[in-house]
Amino acid sequence: MLFKRTADNLPRGRYFRRSLMMILFIACIPGVITGLLLYGWVTVKMENILQQAHLRQFEQRTAWVSEQLDALELTFSQWAFDPVFDNRLKELDFVYKYKQVHELYRLLLMIQNSNTLIGKVQLYLNEPRAVKMDSERYDFMSDPSEITKIERLTEQLQATYWSRSLEGSSMMMVNRLPGGSEDALGALTVTLDNEQLGNMLQTLSPYNGGTTFLLDEQGKPMLPQDKELGGLQQAVREHVLNFETNPSSFLMEYDDLTYSVQSGTFRRMGTDWTYISAAPLNEIVAPIVSVPRIVLLVNGAGLLLALILSWVGSLQLYKPFTKLLRIFTVTEAPIEAKEPGVSFLSQSKGFSSASVRSSSNGPVQLDEIKHIEQRWIGINRERESLQQRLEEHLPLARESLLIQLTLGQLLLPSDREWRERLAQLGWDLRDEQFVVMLAHIRPEVVLLQGSEHHGRESQEWISFAVTDILGRQLQELSYRAETLNYHDLSIALLLAVPPEFQPDTTEFRNELIRMGQQWMDSVQLELNIRLTVVLSKLTSDASHIPQLIRESRSVLRKRQFSSNLSIMDMNEGAEQDVKQKGAYPLELEQDIISALRSGDEELALEHFRRFMDTYAGSESSEEHIRQALFQLLARIQHTLLQLGEDPVELFGLAVYEEVVHLHDLDELIQWFRERIVHVCVEEFTGKEEKQIQMAVHHMKEHAERQYAEALSLDELADLHGIHAYTLSRAFKQTFGQNFVDYLTEIRLKRAKELLESTDVKINEIAEQVGYQASYFNRLFKKSEGTTPSRYREDVRKQTGHSCGNRSV
């Protein structure tokens, strides 16, 4: 079979020929028998059958529409009982309670996206101030008339009911808040999307020339597009309303046409919606009108018609292969090849030129299936290569991110966010509990090894060797475990233990202690190195992992020079050594600063009380307590300096003198609230917004400068210590599009510049802008409607010359 070209320059080979012959054979079967049977059914009986089928379909569509509305009402009524919409909304401060407001935004957006019929979701509150809020913004209301309209929403006796929207153009469902309470503090409303509701109703009459509309209890149209009824709609409406008992189905003459009319009611929360649908009878029976003509044409045309149908059928069957051949063969125009008749792709993948295109010596044979198979094998090899490279780099990336998380460098305040981030690293977690085994290499080891290795290299070599010994021990564990080398002579073992292993029992901790002892013995035997190991407490909250690391480090600092090499168990009172007389509570200091940065005043004061209680139970002197307060204040001021703020400007010069004159604990706590907590929370909160904006602009600059090797959104979020969802939302609000879309736009813009001004090969341009060649071609065609090579040719034809520059 020689090459034959279609309009899109794709070859057809042996498979197409076989398909054509098969369809020709089938189409040539005499159609007389089929024609005779069809003539017997082109009668009134078929018309009646089609009308009955139409009525059944209409009942099914009506039931479906009712189910959609039922599901919407049920789902929306349940939202009123969400804990977010309880009486605490009376005390919500929209200015300073950023997290609570953000949670409301998120919940309103979830409600809005929960059903396609929902056009807009709004929250109205009467207390503490009149405010209206949607998924994008909130506004305090001052207009008395507008406030009166909102108050009327909460005066209904029903908890959930239908009403008109405030502007009267759409249907609106109202939930009095909080759910189940007689004393309403506001309302949650859902305004239906008129276009979506109209499209759903249109399914009741999918025929040309038909109509469907809704009437309220007074017989008035409910949708804006039906406000001014046409002649047919007005006639049908009057016909239905004039009946004393509305029939569900009847025939009506209008404008020389017969219409099949169906009507009924939707019972919606105490109100009745009347739906009316009218369809032309000739459209209902249209499928059988042209059957006699078709049969005559089939019998009269004979073999000629069979040939035409065979050709059309073959084209239809061949369409999937046409698409595949376009993807695998001509995703781009012939790229420069080293030998005539051989494409660049066939050289790189080892394919024969005979399977791709005709050579300079003449036409060749083609088997499309074989060709697609060869190209698929090549793509699969490329995918496996990329997968292998990803798997090689994933452990390093996972360890680096885990180190940042466990050290508290990335702020993830909740257990859910922690588990989501761990799931991204391949940890399939459900109800696991966490425990940390932290080891520190004895300081004298580095000094002894210093003669053979130099400084940092000695520490790295020792740390890797100790980590490798632990890794060999973990191969037989049946639950998740990860070793973390902090590169400071400390190694952590993070364990995620399922409940079936009973991690809170003494037997399990003894097993961990035996494993740690075996680790210490192996390191001592193989490397002649001594370790100090501590086993942390157990926690079910993943966000407490950094706290476990800090507590373990505190214990290690106290015991690293001890001659006793046994493992320290935090459950057996080792943590008490940290809280001994004179010990500064470093963990509480970190907790106080973390609470201040997150804007939680009450949590910061709670940690401060615990900070003071640390000294209340000891024999510390008043001077010792005052020195601890000075150290805490210095640490807070240092954090402010890191954020670019002047502590002297915020607190003044006399802040330390004020501490000297404070002796009563209650007075001290009140002073700390007013002079430190309020100031820091306001500063940190404002700083966080500035950091987000700075991060967004840095992302934009990063995409413009390093588009070829740009980091992903998650990597940029980790770099700035901001949650990926927050960063993505801020980027879209600032620049009007997602980060990925913006990066793609930059890359394609640069690619078009290279295509227009250079003769660089297509695959090289793809690499320069950060894409694989095959994906670049598909993406470019989707964006521009043409392939890169065809785009270059069109530009050359328009400008009338070609570029001779072959470098970027």
Side-chain angles (χ1 to χ4, degrees):
M1 180 64 180
L2 300 181
F3 269 107
K4 294 182 180 179
R5 299 286 177 172
T6 61
D8 55 3
N9 204 33
L10 287 176
R12 295 199 184 107
R14 288 193 295 270
Y15 181 82
F16 179 77
R17 182 184 63 182
R18 292 194 298 266
S19 302
L20 180 60
M21 292 177 63
M22 180 184 66
I23 298 301
L24 177 61
F25 175 76
I26 296 173
C28 287
I29 298 176
V32 177
I33 299 177
T34 305
L36 293 176
L37 294 175
L38 289 176
Y39 272 118
W41 286 92
V42 185
T43 58
V44 177
K45 183 177 181 180
M46 278 298 299
E47 292 183 2
N48 292 333
I49 292 175
L50 289 177
Q51 291 184 39
Q52 293 300 322
H54 167 67
L55 291 177
R56 288 194 298 270
Q57 292 177 359
F58 181 81
E59 292 174 357
Q60 294 173 357
R61 296 189 188 107
T62 303
W64 176 79
V65 171
S66 180
E67 289 174 358
Q68 296 299 311
L69 294 174
D70 289 341
L72 175 63
E73 293 173 352
L74 178 61
T75 302
F76 181 64
S77 62
Q78 291 174 346
W79 282 111
F81 296 90
D82 193 281
V84 175
F85 298 125
D86 59 15
N87 285 315
R88 290 177 293 179
L89 290 176
K90 296 180 179 180
E91 303 174 0
L92 178 60
D93 189 336
F94 277 80
V95 178
Y96 294 103
K97 296 298 183 179
Y98 172 79
K99 288 187 176 180
Q100 290 84 341
V101 174
H102 178 75
E103 180 66 16
L104 285 176
Y105 278 134
R106 184 186 67 81
L107 192 56
L108 293 180
L109 184 61
M110 287 176 58
I111 299 174
Q112 184 167 323
N113 294 332
S114 63
N115 195 297
T116 56
L117 291 176
I118 298 177
K120 189 173 185 180
V121 178
Q122 289 184 306
L123 173 65
Y124 300 98
L125 296 177
N126 298 327
E127 301 178 17
R129 293 176 59 183
V131 62
K132 63 178 178 179
M133 179 180 185
D134 56 26
S135 60
E136 298 179 354
R137 59 177 293 168
Y138 67 86
D139 294 299
F140 293 109
M141 296 182 294
S142 57
D143 186 0
S145 61
E146 186 177 11
I147 295 176
T148 301
K149 291 180 181 180
I150 302 306
E151 291 176 347
R152 290 174 182 172
L153 295 178
T154 62
E155 293 174 356
Q156 294 287 341
L157 297 178
Q158 291 180 275
T160 304
Y161 61 92
W162 284 98
S163 178
R164 281 285 183 180
S165 60
L166 298 183
E167 67 276 12
S169 62
S170 304
M171 295 304 300
M172 180 177 70
M173 189 159 46
V174 182
N175 255 335
R176 297 170 65 248
L177 298 179
S181 175
E182 297 181 357
D183 185 14
L185 60 89
L188 181 66
T189 67
V190 162
T191 303
L192 297 189
D193 188 330
N194 291 327
E195 181 178 357
Q196 292 292 336
L197 181 58
N199 292 339
M200 185 174 68
L201 292 175
Q202 197 60 37
T203 61
L204 300 179
S205 179
Y207 302 100
N208 293 330
T211 183
T212 302
F213 54 97
L214 278 177
L215 301 177
D216 59 17
E217 292 180 325
Q218 288 76 35
K220 298 179 180 179
M222 297 178 62
L223 297 180
Q225 53 265 40
D226 299 331
K227 286 298 184 181
E228 296 183 3
L229 299 179
L232 172 62
Q233 294 173 321
Q234 189 65 33
V236 173
R237 172 178 173 271
E238 292 176 359
H239 208 77
V240 172
L241 294 179
N242 288 335
F243 281 109
E244 295 182 0
T245 58
N246 293 335
S248 61
S249 177
F250 59 90
L251 296 178
M252 187 188 80
E253 298 290 335
Y254 178 81
D255 199 12
D256 298 330
L257 289 176
T258 301
Y259 289 86
S260 176
V261 181
Q262 285 78 36
S263 65
T265 58
F266 293 130
R267 186 66 178 177
R268 304 257 64 90
M269 296 183 180
T271 61
D272 290 329
W273 298 358
T274 302
Y275 60 87
I276 302 175
S277 174
L281 195 60
N282 61 340
E283 290 291 334
I284 298 176
V285 299
I288 63 172
V289 172
S290 59
V291 172
R293 302 174 187 174
I294 295 176
V295 173
L296 290 176
L297 290 175
V298 170
N299 291 327
L303 182 60
L304 178 61
L305 184 58
L307 290 173
I308 296 175
L309 292 176
S310 301
W311 177 258
V312 173
S314 299
L315 290 178
Q316 294 297 322
L317 289 176
Y318 200 70
K319 277 186 177 181
F321 295 95
T322 302
K323 295 179 180 179
L324 289 175
L325 286 173
R326 184 181 294 110
I327 294 174
F328 288 113
T329 303
V330 290
T331 52
E332 54 183 281
I335 306 175
E336 297 85 346
K338 297 181 180 178
E339 297 179 5
V342 182
S343 72
F344 173 81
L345 290 174
S346 63
Q347 295 178 39
S348 62
K349 301 301 178 184
F351 299 146
S352 169
S353 62
S355 66
V356 183
R357 63 183 88 255
S358 61
S359 66
S360 59
N361 297 327
V364 297
Q365 291 185 343
L366 173 71
D367 189 325
E368 301 95 315
I369 302 299
K370 185 65 175 177
H371 173 64
I372 292 174
E373 179 184 358
Q374 291 176 343
R375 301 306 294 266
W376 179 258
I377 292 174
I379 292 176
N380 198 40
R381 290 174 181 169
E382 183 179 358
R383 181 190 65 80
E384 291 176 354
S385 175
L386 294 174
Q387 182 67 26
Q388 183 179 0
R389 291 170 58 188
L390 177 62
E391 291 176 354
E392 291 175 354
H393 290 84
L394 186 59
L396 296 177
R398 180 171 59 244
E399 181 183 9
S400 176
L401 184 57
L402 279 174
I403 288 176
Q404 294 183 61
L405 287 171
T406 55
L407 291 179
Q409 296 175 358
L410 299 179
L411 186 59
L412 299 178
S414 68
D415 176 71
R416 179 183 59 81
E417 293 177 343
W418 260 86
R419 291 180 182 268
E420 289 177 356
R421 183 54 61 89
L422 292 175
Q424 295 174 2
L425 299 178
W427 287 45
D428 186 14
L429 300 178
R430 293 179 177 83
D431 300 324
E432 285 79 358
Q433 300 188 60
F434 303 92
V435 65
V436 174
M437 183 182 294
L438 183 65
H440 187 77
I441 300 172
R442 306 282 288 209
E444 66 270 15
V445 173
V446 181
L447 299 176
L448 293 175
Q449 298 287 340
S451 59
E452 299 180 5
H453 305 277
H454 301 283
R456 186 68 178 175
E457 295 180 0
S458 175
Q459 293 188 24
E460 293 290 340
W461 177 85
I462 294 172
S463 297
F464 279 120
V466 174
T467 305
D468 182 66
I469 292 174
L470 176 60
R472 295 199 300 267
Q473 291 184 216
L474 300 178
Q475 295 178 358
E476 298 181 357
L477 285 182
S478 55
Y479 47 83
R480 191 78 195 189
E482 191 80 27
T483 57
L484 304 176
N485 184 357
Y486 291 111
H487 304 283
D488 60 352
L489 297 180
S490 62
I491 300 98
L493 172 61
L494 177 59
L495 299 170
V497 188
E500 57 265 24
F501 287 90
Q502 298 180 345
D504 53 350
T505 62
T506 304
E507 291 77 9
F508 180 79
R509 295 193 69 85
N510 290 337
E511 183 64 28
L512 292 183
I513 292 173
R514 284 193 294 271
M515 181 174 64
Q517 188 63 48
Q518 183 182 354
W519 182 24
M520 295 171 60
D521 295 341
S522 299
V523 171
Q524 178 72 24
L525 180 62
E526 297 182 26
L527 304 177
N528 194 24
I529 291 175
R530 295 192 299 167
L531 300 179
T532 306
V533 180
V534 61
L535 181 63
S536 76
K537 294 177 290 187
L538 190 70
T539 181
S540 58
D541 190 339
S543 63
H544 292 169
I545 293 177
Q547 178 68 18
L548 298 182
I549 296 292
R550 290 196 296 268
E551 292 178 353
S552 300
R553 285 185 179 274
S554 298
V555 173
L556 283 176
R557 282 196 295 269
K558 294 296 179 180
R559 294 291 188 89
Q560 64 180 334
F561 293 100
S562 174
S563 59
N564 185 6
L565 297 181
S566 62
I567 298 178
M568 290 167 284
D569 189 353
M570 296 287 287
N571 271 8
E572 295 181 354
E575 71 275 13
Q576 297 301 326
D577 293 341
V578 181
K579 299 179 180 180
Q580 63 183 343
K581 178 181 177 180
Y584 181 76
L586 182 62
E587 301 81 13
L588 291 174
E589 175 195 275
Q590 297 291 338
D591 292 338
I592 292 172
I593 295 177
S594 177
L596 291 175
R597 296 195 63 172
S598 63
D600 194 333
E601 297 186 14
E602 296 303 324
L603 183 59
L605 286 173
E606 177 64 26
H607 289 315
F608 181 71
R609 291 189 182 95
R610 293 175 55 195
F611 183 93
M612 297 304 301
D613 291 343
T614 302
Y615 296 94
S618 64
E619 299 178 358
S620 303
S621 63
E622 183 177 342
E623 183 63 26
H624 191 189
I625 297 175
R626 187 175 291 111
Q627 291 298 325
L629 286 175
F630 288 162
Q631 183 173 343
L632 175 60
L633 289 175
R635 186 68 179 88
I636 295 173
Q637 289 179 329
H638 177 70
T639 304
L640 287 169
L641 283 173
Q642 289 179 327
L643 294 175
E645 298 296 335
D646 186 2
V648 176
E649 182 179 347
L650 294 174
F651 301 127
L653 296 174
V655 64
Y656 289 95
E657 295 181 6
E658 295 175 10
V659 175
V660 175
H661 296 90
L662 295 174
H663 302 285
D664 182 71
L665 179 60
D666 294 335
E667 183 182 12
L668 181 61
I669 292 175
Q670 183 64 26
W671 174 87
F672 190 76
R673 177 198 293 270
E674 300 296 333
R675 291 285 284 117
I676 305 299
V677 174
H678 285 343
V679 175
C680 288
V681 167
E682 293 178 2
E683 186 60 31
F684 284 137
T685 303
K687 201 67 178 181
E688 183 179 1
E689 294 294 334
K690 296 177 183 178
Q691 287 178 337
I692 293 176
Q693 289 301 317
M694 291 177 62
V696 165
H697 288 282
H698 176 265
M699 290 170 61
K700 180 175 181 293
E701 296 174 358
H702 175 75
E704 294 173 348
R705 293 197 310 267
Q706 297 177 311
Y707 52 85
E709 300 177 353
L711 299 176
S712 67
L713 178 62
D714 288 336
E715 290 172 331
L716 289 170
D718 293 339
L719 181 64
H720 293 284
I722 302 172
H723 196 275
Y725 172 81
T726 302
L727 200 58
S728 175
R729 186 170 180 270
F731 190 93
K732 186 172 183 180
Q733 288 179 343
T734 303
F735 300 109
Q737 61 183 144
N738 296 326
F739 173 72
V740 175
D741 295 338
Y742 183 78
L743 178 60
T744 302
E745 181 181 305
I746 294 294
R747 287 175 168 176
L748 292 180
K749 180 180 178 181
R750 178 56 178 162
K752 289 193 288 185
E753 293 175 356
L754 294 174
L755 290 170
E756 296 171 1
S757 60
T758 72
D759 286 334
V760 177
K761 296 179 180 180
I762 303 297
N763 62 310
E764 294 179 2
I765 292 178
E767 293 178 358
Q768 290 183 24
V769 298
Y771 290 123
Q772 293 288 335
S774 58
Y775 179 73
F776 169 71
N777 281 280
R778 292 197 299 272
L779 184 65
F780 191 93
K781 185 173 183 180
K782 181 179 179 181
S783 174
E784 303 298 326
T786 183
T787 61
S789 54
R790 182 64 60 85
Y791 177 84
R792 172 179 277 172
E793 292 176 1
D794 293 342
V795 171
R796 299 282 172 84
K797 290 178 183 179
Q798 293 176 3
T799 57
H801 69 280
S802 62
C803 299
N805 180 19
R806 300 186 65 85
S807 61
V808 181

